[in-house]
Amino acid sequence: EDASFDLVLTDPAFGTGPILASYLKVPVVYNVRWFPSMEAHFLSAPSPLSYIPITGSHFTDKMTFLERTGNVILNLNQNILSEFLIYPIYNELCHRYLGPNTDFQGILLSSDVWLMRV
């Protein structure tokens, strides 16, 4: 706290950078490709699952109906894992160090600048 940082440059794939920036009350800049649960572009740009394959699925933008269905299921799986496994761990840190009314998803979305790696 005494070091007087101007900003925190972090990759939010690991949630400690955004939490640290919030704790220090400094602007946060994301050098981002991944969020803990998904690719970052899903939060900032239109990314319909019927056309944009989930990373790691080995699908292309020309998916069959079954591949599109599989893509949606993979996305649901990622969201469920995040909601029940990843976010509770980070929420515990947020509640301990930032107060009981702070949640991890709110901190992730409150970035000041996004530098997108695609």
Side-chain angles (χ1 to χ4, degrees), residues 6-117:
D6 294 326
L7 62 88
V8 171
L9 176 64
T10 185
D11 188 337
F14 304 103
T16 53
I19 292 172
L20 177 65
S22 183
Y23 181 76
L24 296 175
K25 295 178 178 52
V26 295
V28 62
V29 176
Y30 289 161
N31 181 16
V32 64
R33 165 77 193 251
W34 299 99
F35 266 92
S37 61
M38 67 183 85
E39 284 201 59
H41 69 82
F42 281 111
L43 296 174
S44 60
S47 303
L49 293 172
S50 58
Y51 297 103
I52 309 295
I54 299 294
T55 301
S57 67
H58 302 292
F59 297 141
T60 67
D61 60 337
K62 295 175 177 49
M63 295 181 271
T64 65
F65 177 76
L66 288 177
E67 289 172 334
R68 292 172 201 258
T69 305
N71 200 47
V72 170
I73 291 170
L74 285 172
N75 184 54
L76 287 172
N77 185 38
Q78 286 180 346
N79 289 334
I80 289 169
L81 286 173
S82 295
E83 195 65 37
F84 294 105
L85 292 176
I86 297 171
Y87 291 153
I89 295 168
Y90 286 120
N91 278 333
E92 185 178 322
L93 283 173
C94 291
H95 294 159
R96 181 182 302 162
Y97 295 107
L98 303 175
N101 295 330
T102 307
D103 71 326
F104 183 60
Q105 290 170 312
I107 289 174
L108 280 178
L109 296 176
S110 66
S111 168
D112 295 292
V113 177
W114 295 51
L115 304 174
M116 298 293 287
R117 290 182 286 156

